[in-house]
Amino acid sequence: MKIVFAEEGDKLGGFVSVSGWLRGGGNITGTRSGTKFRFNTTDHTGQIIKWQGDVQNGKLSGEYYIDAQGGIPQQNGEWSVTPEGSIKAGAPCDANVTLSLLKMVLETSLNDPVKQADGTFISGAQDLFKSIHPAGAGISIWVESLDVDWKDDTQSRCYEDIHKFRLNCVIYWQGILRLTGTTKLRFAYNIKLNAVTSAEIVESTGTTNKDVNKALLGVGSFLGDAAIKGLLGGK
């Protein structure tokens, strides 16, 4: 999971992204009192997750609770994250914070619901999965790593200073012949050109479609555009 917190007084905002074999996440509403965090998230299906956690030894960890709904039983579990950086409003940009936010925007853009031709919506993971594989269901997309080239003419490390980036991500999916599987993808995006320069399947545990390269380039173009608009627009 990935979390971005925005704090004003004791109020918490931000976003949680959940990937792997789990679903959930969404916008944050909650509070912080000292080292104690309490907040809720609501995903695009309406599922509400209640989170609570405490900061100890440099980590934020605790428990989550999901009430029974829609035939799904009550679920409880543990969670833990390690801070990657923070910045105060008006302070100079920090490279670690910029990269962390870019990874979050890329991941949430990939997992955002996608409208189909018939007007219905499916998850971003399913939309990307069906463009690559002939059968099965995409569960979630995890941004594994991100590598950035900064513009040569600036010492700043804000979003506007990114020249291009390379992204490795993993689709977690369920299949028919294979119950669970993963597909690892790599994209390269040049912001100056506003274009994807490469898109490829690195490895997959399942069968892929024949004409998959064209589909990946289309997804990559949307991904790069959505990420930059999201960052510059303060998503």
Side-chain angles (χ1 to χ4, degrees):
M1 61 183 295
K2 296 180 176 70
I3 300 180
V4 169
F5 285 120
E7 295 187 60
E8 185 173 350
D10 62 348
K11 303 295 184 183
L12 289 178
F15 200 87
V16 173
S17 177
V18 177
S19 53
W21 301 114
L22 301 176
R23 294 183 175 92
N27 290 311
I28 292 170
T29 56
T31 60
R32 179 176 73 87
S33 177
T35 62
K36 297 183 181 298
F37 288 70
R38 303 291 183 268
F39 57 94
N40 293 348
T41 57
T42 305
D43 70 7
H44 71 279
T45 68
Q47 175 179 263
I48 298 174
I49 305 179
K50 302 173 183 177
W51 310 78
Q52 61 182 38
D54 297 274
V55 177
Q56 292 184 357
N57 301 320
K59 289 186 177 182
L60 173 58
S61 61
E63 293 76 39
Y64 66 85
Y65 307 88
I66 307 175
D67 294 335
Q69 55 184 339
I72 300 175
Q74 179 176 329
Q75 301 177 61
N76 304 322
E78 297 179 340
W79 62 281
S80 177
V81 292
T82 302
E84 294 186 356
S86 64
I87 191 168
K88 291 185 177 181
C93 294
D94 177 89
N96 290 334
V97 176
T98 298
L99 293 182
S100 296
L101 290 173
L102 179 55
K103 286 173 69 176
M104 171 66 93
V105 172
L106 289 167
E107 188 167 290
T108 54
S109 296
L110 282 168
N111 283 291
D112 276 346
V114 178
K115 189 175 184 178
Q116 303 300 289
D118 61 0
T120 61
F121 286 84
I122 62 175
S123 70
Q126 174 60 14
D127 187 64
L128 181 54
F129 174 85
K130 68 184 181 66
S131 70
I132 298 173
H133 298 282
I139 303 301
S140 73
I141 301 173
W142 169 52
V143 171
E144 179 182 31
S145 62
L146 178 69
D147 183 36
V148 164
D149 289 348
W150 304 95
K151 295 178 181 177
D152 293 333
D153 58 350
T154 179
Q155 296 299 314
S156 180
R157 291 296 181 260
C158 299
Y159 319 128
E160 300 89 340
D161 304 314
I162 299 173
H163 178 200
K164 51 188 174 181
F165 62 82
R166 290 159 297 279
L167 167 74
N168 288 315
C169 63
V170 179
I171 306 174
Y172 288 81
W173 51 264
Q174 295 174 340
I176 298 174
L177 298 178
R178 181 185 291 272
L179 294 180
T180 59
T182 57
T183 298
K184 185 173 182 177
L185 308 174
R186 179 178 295 136
F187 297 99
Y189 191 83
N190 187 306
I191 295 176
K192 184 177 182 179
L193 298 176
N194 192 28
V196 176
T197 54
S198 67
E200 62 178 314
I201 296 177
V202 178
E203 60 184 27
S204 180
T205 58
T207 303
T208 58
N209 297 327
K210 291 182 179 180
D211 192 22
V212 71
N213 289 334
K214 184 183 294 184
L216 283 180
L217 285 173
V219 170
S221 297
F222 157 78
L223 174 64
D225 187 54
I228 298 309
K229 286 181 178 177
L231 283 171
L232 295 180
K235 179 175 179 180

